[in-house]
Amino acid sequence: MTDVLNSEWLKLRSVRSTTYVLLAIAVALLGGALVSYLMTADWDTSPPDLQQKFGAADPGVMVVPFAQFCLGVLGALAITSEYGSGMIRTALVSVPRRKAYLLAKTVVVAGVSLVVALVTTLLAYQAGELITGDRPRPISAYDSFGDAVPTLLANTASLVLLGLVGLGLGFLLRSTAGALVTLCGLLFVLPTLTLLLPYPWNDRVYSVMLPVLAPQLSGELPDPPLSPVGAGLVMIAYLVLALGAGAAALLRRDA
Amino acid sequence: MIEVRQLTKRYRTTRAVDGLSFEVKPGYVAGFLGPNGAGKSTTMRAVLGLDRPTSGEALVDGRRYADIRRPMHHVGALLDAGAVHGGRSAYDHLRVLARSNGIKDRRVVATLEQVGLAGVADRRVGSLSLGMKQRLGVAAALLGDPGVLLFDEPVNGLDPEGIRWIRHLMRDLAREGRTVLVSSHLMSEMALTADRVIVIGRGKLILEASMQDLQEKFKKDVLVRSTTPDALVAVLTAAGATARSEDGALFVQGLDAPDIADLAARHRIPIHELTPRSASLEDAYLELTEESVEYRTKETGR
């Protein structure tokens, strides 16, 4: 098993797409910081009554959804690039135990996603703190680091989840385009569409959409449809569903 | 040792492989022949555990491939040289495969040198020529120093020098006591490489024989031209041969050319031409697989 893990880790490191995905997240971080800086500058020149109406200048708000998509792409590419090129056949000849193959890929994608997610959320938090300085709420998102921890952890969990959902979709669909379109649907299209449903179903269905799980997990949303535990369970359901379907496709179908 | 037993693989409605059985033992090159679509690749994919047989089994050294731990130490395979991630360097590609079976980087370097790719080790696989990719595929198969080797159409895309290289390589591997199975749809190629042939068509075994037996089996007849064919036919028939006449020539079966010449001389029958004719292996192969060719063009001008 260590051999297969080693191999998968080298696989992920030795392709350029991984670098590009990480660069995209870095660019998003810079963009998020820029937006926060501009908001803060605007806040500084606004009259006090308007200052109260500002949202938080937290780069994370912009960076996390983008990084979710990026990690979904990373997870999907980890396997769809093999189906696209035919490398999967070479790979499964060297590792014919498909369960071990799936497990190694899952562990590597989860590990990389976790590290990237932690670094991204911490950098976004740190950038926000540097930019807003000792300004009060609401322009400053958090009073202290302890105040931010639940949000940072929930965002990290959602980022790792997206990496693995991407991987599961990749195993299931075997196509880069298919996996990315599905990811876009889950992250950006479906949540908007659910709002068109009649009340109360719009709120209920919206609450289990991928992008709104992290804020419910951290408990930062006022009066959320899902409790933190509920949100966590829904996240686990996504994970089991995506990887389960991917595993079934890998184990049952011919390569 | 490769054992295929009553292997059947059905895709929806078509039977790609249909009750196929054969064995390949160590020490010789086995040519796996058949027209396009005969089921050669499907059989190899089943041996390597990529496709699950509908029924029957394929064993390598007595085991199912999927049950072998670190299989690259036992079996090396070149299926499709293009089936690689184009973005990795040749060196990284081999390292990825090597690591999955606990093979050291040192061995990767040695194998790259063995196949003549040391100079392009850092180039991305996507930028390599088809011939170089073919060599890279061979390198991947050799990484674990396996006792059983499967090559699917290994000479495709190789230049003459590369073709000769792979021929020598396969013969050397067999001479070292390894089991070597090579598929091809070209008899002419196998005639130069293989010691035994397994011919299949439409997923079924047509013939399994040594190359010598195959040549013997398709040895044909002797063409004889004489000014007095009728007299010659009488003499030949009396000696136990059969002769048929066509376009003023006789085609004699059952006697060798020297015997025919001696007989004719003894009876003072003049002979103008005496040519032993053996069907080329290519003809033999075409004759064998004629019934089972899946895709053919309409023949014109015959």
Side-chain angles (χ1 to χ4, degrees), chain A residues 3 7 10-11 13-16 81 85-87 89-90 92-98 251-252 254-255, chain B residues 9 45 49-52 65 69-72 82-85 88 92-93 95-96 99-102 124:
Chain A
D3 294 341
S7 166
L10 176 61
K11 259 187 201 171
R13 278 184 298 149
S14 57
V15 289
R16 287 172 301 170
S81 69
S85 63
M87 176 71 187
R89 292 193 292 278
T90 312
L92 286 180
V93 167
S94 59
V95 185
R97 289 168 302 139
R98 299 194 183 182
L251 298 178
R252 296 250 175 107
D254 288 336
Chain B
K9 176 69 188 179
R45 289 160 55 86
L50 288 174
D51 284 7
R52 190 172 306 168
Y65 186 83
R69 281 188 63 81
R70 298 186 164 184
M72 290 172 79
V84 287
H85 193 300
R88 254 177 222 114
D92 279 342
H93 170 70
R95 274 209 304 166
V96 160
R99 288 204 177 172
S100 69
N101 278 247
R124 288 209 321 277

Side-chain angles (χ1 to χ4, degrees), chain A residues 38-118:
Chain A
L38 293 174
M39 271 178 82
T40 309
D42 196 17
W43 185 85
D44 285 343
T45 56
S46 297
D49 54 329
L50 202 60
Q51 280 183 341
Q52 282 306 311
K53 290 180 181 147
F54 265 71
D58 177 8
V61 172
M62 192 185 131
V63 174
V64 168
F66 191 78
Q68 282 178 338
F69 180 66
C70 286
L71 285 175
V73 172
L74 183 88
L77 276 179
I79 181 64
T80 57
S81 69
E82 296 197 9
Y83 278 105
S85 63
M87 176 71 187
I88 185 71
R89 292 193 292 278
T90 312
L92 286 180
V93 167
S94 59
V95 185
R97 289 168 302 139
R98 299 194 183 182
K99 278 180 198 151
Y101 189 69
L102 176 79
L103 188 62
K105 270 219 190 303
T106 307
V107 169
V108 168
V109 168
V112 170
S113 299
L114 180 64
V115 171
V116 172
L118 277 174

